[in-house]
Amino acid sequence: MKIVYWFSAFILLTHIGYGQKGDSLRAELLHEVTITANRGSEESFRTAGSVSIISSKNLQTYQPRSTPEALLGTNGVFVQKTTHGAGSAFLRGLTGNQTLILIDGIRLNNSTFRYGPNQYLNTIDPFTIGKIEVLRGGGSVAYGSDALGGTIHLLTRNPVLAEKTAFHGRAVARYATGGMEKTVRAEGELSSSRVAVQAGVSSRNFGDLIGGDTTGRQSPSGYNELDFDFKILLGLRPGWMLKLAHQSVDQQHVPLYYRIKLENYAINEFDPQKRKLSYLQLTGKTQNSWARELTLTGSWQTTHESRVIQRNGSRSRRIETDKVQTWGLTFNLLSDVATNWTASSGAEIYNDLVKSNRIDQEIPGGLPVRSRGLYPDDSKYLNYALYSIHQVQIDRWQLTFGGRLNGFRIGITDDVLGEVSVKPGALVGHGALAYAPTTRSNLYASFHSGFRAPNVDDMGTVGIVDFRYELPAYELKPEKSSNFEIGYKLRTTRFAFSTALFHNTLRNLITRVPVIGQQINGINVYRKENVERASIRGAEAELEYLLGNNWKTYGMIAYAFGENRSTNEPVRRIPPLNGRLGLEYRSQGWYVRPEGWFATKQDRLAAGDLSDNRIPKGGTPGWVIVNFLAGYEATHFSVNAVAQNLTNTDYRTHGSGINGVGRSVWLTVTGKF
């Protein structure tokens, strides 16, 4: 806490004398507009909560290899990498099915999202993203289940309408030293006054990831990927727009490096890993204050995950396949209830159909033997809700409050127990009060209640999962959270600073409980139950300061402390103290950006961490790495170079199954017309 105190004092002192009228530049931090927190446009400075925004400019500068890596260095976000073809973001110590991911307002989370790190964020092509918004500590009222730690909202790029018909294109080529990446991307955009069309394709080849000074090449970890996307905008009449979009990602032979390296597997990979999303969205504005703006979205999303497993010295190969088909319908209405009173209200429904099977076969020449997959085949999961979020502005005070009523219907047919139907429900709310002492500062306190409904992964999993043999569980209730936060935001044209303290109480947590005296093939047997309580508290701070017309410095620091109150031990996989500090220079299209990332040692380990072979004995060592970014951006082309880990430090983010990249250069060349 002393770090946050002195950090705040430093910022307040350096603020004096700056930001006067006539400054030619502004800090970006806290000046961006967010739509995630309250399902309506609002300056992040005015939001009574912690929001981080990764703009298209930052994405262009960093040129992230993957969508998870686009979140590296974001305040309050810690990225774990089980393997090179994965990446799971921790928001305030929580990840997996306890963190919600949205694409253009549509849930990526489905009924098979599992507890702990997963790979699904990596199934989003970073070339399609125009902006990322991260709401830390909230999201259940606005978006429903899973937002215990927060919400990650990925907003894809849109074509634009133009008065005169025009065609534009872009071609991107990227290469990394050591053959770690060879990517090409081509896209085109046709615009007119009533219609705009955008389409693109990405072909990506990832070689084995090369670690730091003592690690070297981590093989096998490379894989191939082919992505396609298009988006069509139709201007129906003034204020009304129809959008049709599609995106698909197809990844082949994605190895789980740590399992092959540490667990005697000849093959352990995702092959294939696919995701497709199509949606139709109607937006419109009216003259009625109670229906100022409305949005209706219909979506269809499919995921296909096959896991190919074969141990060394064995002829038996297993292929587990899970397919989830999700259709969704959401309706949102923005209203002006009164002069200083706005509301965002709506309804949504999502329905999952889960197909799951397993094939065992002797290689070569054996006949395939089909059996039950990881989940009961033809499982169904219905998610429906009503919500309303309100904001009232009275002089310097802003009151935000809202609620959501959410219901579920889960239908599972089990070979032993027969047909099982469960209908859990949740009622959650949030409230926040903000006070602006001046036009440059904002002080707030907020409360968010959140929930995660039990899903098919919780209720129907059977088989070996995370070093255990798991039995189905059919009497689970939603997990609950109560997140309290106080924060302060300060901004001028040259300077911006935000800090927050939070405390998140978690209850009814679903965890695996051992079935006493039972083993299957020598492996202990577990079943999930709502038996745990926990709390996570911490602090975050972020700043940006313009040193002149061309120079700025920036930094962030985040800390979380988790306690499992039921077992009197730390919460699993809690990230250590971590942060980033950098300096940037921009002039006439050129930029240079040296920066350092760090994480301290994490030796507060739960029993599950101690048995996790991804975590070294004694805990994950601390590390500091230095990166250098440089580039030139012109009207028709740009060149971006990222030199990572200049000191070739051998490091691993806590809980990862593969080490971070060593000294390397990633070069991206973009041509535009």
Side-chain angles (χ1 to χ4, degrees):
M1 298 305 174
K2 289 184 178 180
I3 293 176
V4 175
Y5 173 81
W6 288 111
F7 203 34
S8 304
F10 167 76
I11 295 306
L12 290 171
L13 288 173
T14 55
H15 165 60
I16 298 173
Y18 288 94
Q20 304 300 318
K21 187 176 181 180
D23 284 3
S24 59
L25 295 177
R26 298 196 314 171
E28 294 178 23
L29 181 64
L30 301 182
H31 288 268
E32 311 97 330
V33 173
T34 176
I35 65 170
T36 301
N38 299 305
R39 297 193 79 134
S41 297
E42 181 182 33
E43 273 192 308
S44 59
F45 172 72
R46 299 293 178 191
T47 302
S50 296
V51 180
S52 293
I53 297 177
I54 305 170
S55 66
S56 58
K57 179 180 177 181
N58 277 330
L59 291 170
Q60 175 67 21
T61 298
Y62 278 94
Q63 291 291 328
R65 183 199 69 84
S66 66
T67 297
E69 292 181 13
L71 293 164
L72 290 169
T74 302
N75 193 23
V77 182
F78 194 79
V79 179
Q80 179 267 13
K81 290 181 67 64
T82 293
T83 191
H84 192 32
S88 195
F90 281 72
L91 271 59
R92 292 182 169 174
L94 298 175
T95 193
N97 58 20
Q98 296 178 324
T99 295
L100 178 60
I101 303 172
L102 306 169
I103 306 173
D104 293 338
I106 300 165
R107 294 175 62 91
L108 176 66
N109 293 44
N110 61 37
S111 58
T112 64
F113 265 44
R114 60 186 176 273
Y115 170 77
N118 61 50
Q119 75 278 15
Y120 303 113
L121 188 59
N122 196 55
T123 64
I124 301 171
D125 184 358
F127 288 107
T128 64
I129 300 172
K131 181 183 180 183
I132 303 175
E133 298 184 2
V134 181
L135 172 63
R136 304 188 296 280
S140 275
V141 170
Y143 302 102
S145 179
D146 301 1
L148 300 181
T151 303
I152 299 172
H153 195 176
L154 303 129
L155 299 157
T156 59
R157 296 164 50 233
N158 287 312
V160 295
L161 299 177
E163 292 185 4
K164 295 182 178 180
T165 301
F167 179 73
H168 301 283
R170 185 173 75 138
V172 182
R174 180 183 299 156
Y175 178 79
T177 53
M180 285 187 287
E181 181 179 356
K182 299 174 184 176
T183 287
V184 292
R185 161 82 176 176
E187 62 185 48
E189 179 179 334
L190 178 63
S191 301
S192 68
S193 60
R194 297 290 297 273
V195 181
V197 181
Q198 170 187 288
V201 60
S202 303
S203 177
R204 320 195 69 189
N205 174 264
F206 298 106
D208 293 331
L209 189 68
I210 301 174
D213 54 4
T214 60
T215 296
R217 188 173 297 275
Q218 300 172 93
S219 181
S221 58
Y223 62 99
N224 295 320
E225 180 177 324
L226 182 64
D227 309 329
F228 171 71
D229 59 274
F230 74 82
K231 191 175 288 187
I232 302 173
L233 293 185
L234 299 175
L236 302 179
R237 62 180 183 177
W240 288 82
M241 187 79 66
L242 186 65
K243 182 190 300 182
L244 173 64
H246 174 78
Q247 52 189 245
S248 66
V249 173
D250 185 349
Q251 299 170 343
Q252 304 287 332
H253 299 290
V254 185
L256 274 74
Y257 169 76
Y258 80 99
R259 289 197 181 276
I260 296 173
K261 186 74 173 179
L262 301 176
E263 298 179 14
N264 195 35
Y265 282 99
I267 301 174
N268 197 310
E269 63 184 16
F270 298 113
D271 183 36
Q273 176 78 47
K274 297 182 179 181
R275 184 187 61 83
K276 294 181 180 179
L277 170 64
S278 300
Y279 69 86
L280 186 66
Q281 185 176 81
L282 175 68
T283 58
K285 298 180 180 179
T286 75
Q287 300 299 316
N288 189 325
S289 62
W290 285 89
R292 171 166 53 90
E293 184 175 334
L294 59 87
T295 303
L296 178 65
T297 305
S299 62
W300 174 260
Q301 187 163 209
T302 63
T303 63
H304 177 177
E305 173 185 332
S306 289
R307 297 172 295 277
V308 184
I309 303 166
Q310 183 175 350
R311 289 192 176 272
N312 285 315
S314 172
R315 293 179 54 212
S316 178
R317 180 175 298 178
R318 173 170 296 176
I319 302 176
E320 298 176 335
T321 299
D322 303 321
K323 298 180 181 179
V324 183
Q325 303 171 10
T326 306
W327 64 262
L329 185 65
T330 64
F331 175 74
N332 188 71
L333 187 69
L334 296 179
S335 307
D336 293 325
V337 181
T339 303
N340 299 317
W341 184 347
T342 61
S344 177
S345 307
E348 62 183 31
I349 182 169
Y350 290 90
N351 189 68
D352 286 5
L353 173 63
V354 180
K355 307 289 290 185
S356 184
N357 65 74
R358 187 181 84 193
I359 297 176
D360 291 287
Q361 186 176 12
E362 293 294 315
I363 303 297
L367 295 176
V369 178
R370 295 181 178 272
S371 57
R372 184 196 194 273
L374 185 61
Y375 309 115
D377 198 30
D378 287 328
S379 297
K380 299 175 179 64
Y381 190 86
L382 180 65
N383 172 357
Y384 53 94
L386 296 172
Y387 64 88
S388 189
I389 304 168
H390 298 254
Q391 283 190 315
V392 181
Q393 187 75 42
I394 304 174
D395 295 326
R396 296 182 179 183
W397 295 88
Q398 178 179 276
L399 173 65
T400 304
F401 60 94
R404 166 181 283 252
L405 178 63
N406 219 130
F408 301 85
R409 181 175 297 174
I410 309 169
I412 293 174
T413 302
D414 186 82
D415 294 340
V416 177
L417 301 178
E419 293 187 5
V420 178
S421 180
V422 183
K423 301 177 182 179
L427 176 64
V428 292
H430 83 247
L433 185 64
Y435 175 69
T438 70
T439 57
R440 298 178 179 179
S441 58
N442 193 22
L443 180 67
Y444 68 88
S446 69
F447 165 78
H448 289 264
S449 63
F451 74 100
R452 187 187 75 80
N455 61 16
V456 173
D457 180 77
D458 294 312
M459 299 179 62
T461 301
V462 62
I464 298 175
V465 180
D466 201 13
F467 321 113
R468 302 168 176 88
Y469 194 97
E470 192 166 307
L471 296 179
Y474 298 124
E475 299 179 355
L476 298 174
K477 298 176 292 185
E479 298 179 330
K480 298 289 185 67
S481 69
S482 298
N483 186 79
F484 295 89
E485 179 176 329
I486 57 172
Y488 176 69
K489 300 177 182 181
L490 175 67
R491 70 172 184 181
T492 72
T493 53
R494 285 188 175 271
F495 169 77
F497 170 71
S498 68
T499 187
L501 303 175
F502 66 89
H503 189 283
N504 194 5
T505 300
L506 304 162
R507 59 193 184 278
N508 285 348
L509 291 178
I510 297 171
T511 188
R512 299 181 183 108
V513 176
V515 180
I516 304 301
Q518 187 171 348
Q519 287 190 337
I520 295 178
N521 296 328
I523 299 174
N524 292 332
V525 176
Y526 287 74
R527 178 182 283 111
K528 289 177 179 174
E529 297 179 10
N530 291 95
V531 295
E532 289 194 349
R533 293 174 58 88
S535 66
I536 302 175
R537 62 184 184 271
E540 300 160 350
E542 186 173 16
L543 69 87
E544 189 173 272
Y545 181 50
L546 299 181
L547 303 172
N549 290 336
N550 305 109
W551 291 90
K552 76 173 179 181
T553 185
Y554 56 92
M556 56 75 58
I557 190 168
Y559 175 72
F561 183 91
E563 285 185 292
N564 188 322
R565 297 178 179 178
S566 301
T567 58
N568 195 28
E569 64 175 2
V571 173
R572 284 197 68 183
R573 305 185 185 95
I574 287 289
L577 177 73
N578 64 92
R580 178 177 66 156
L581 183 64
L583 182 70
E584 181 176 1
Y585 172 82
R586 285 185 182 267
S587 178
Q588 298 180 344
W590 293 93
Y591 71 87
V592 293
R593 191 168 187 163
E595 64 179 28
W597 296 350
F598 77 90
T600 60
K601 182 179 181 179
Q602 182 55 288
D603 53 7
R604 293 191 69 251
L605 304 178
D609 296 330
L610 294 172
S611 63
D612 191 335
N613 58 15
R614 290 169 289 191
I615 298 176
K617 290 186 177 180
T620 304
W623 48 266
V624 177
I625 63 170
V626 178
N627 303 325
F628 186 85
L629 298 81
Y632 177 73
E633 299 174 2
T635 303
H636 295 294
F637 76 94
S638 63
V639 179
N640 304 78
V642 181
Q644 295 197 47
N645 196 356
L646 296 180
T647 58
N648 206 30
T649 300
D650 213 2
Y651 77 101
R652 173 175 293 198
T653 57
H654 182 58
S656 295
I658 193 167
N659 284 5
V661 66
R663 185 187 296 120
S664 56
V665 176
W666 306 67
L667 181 66
T668 304
V669 179
T670 304
K672 297 170 281 186
F673 65 89

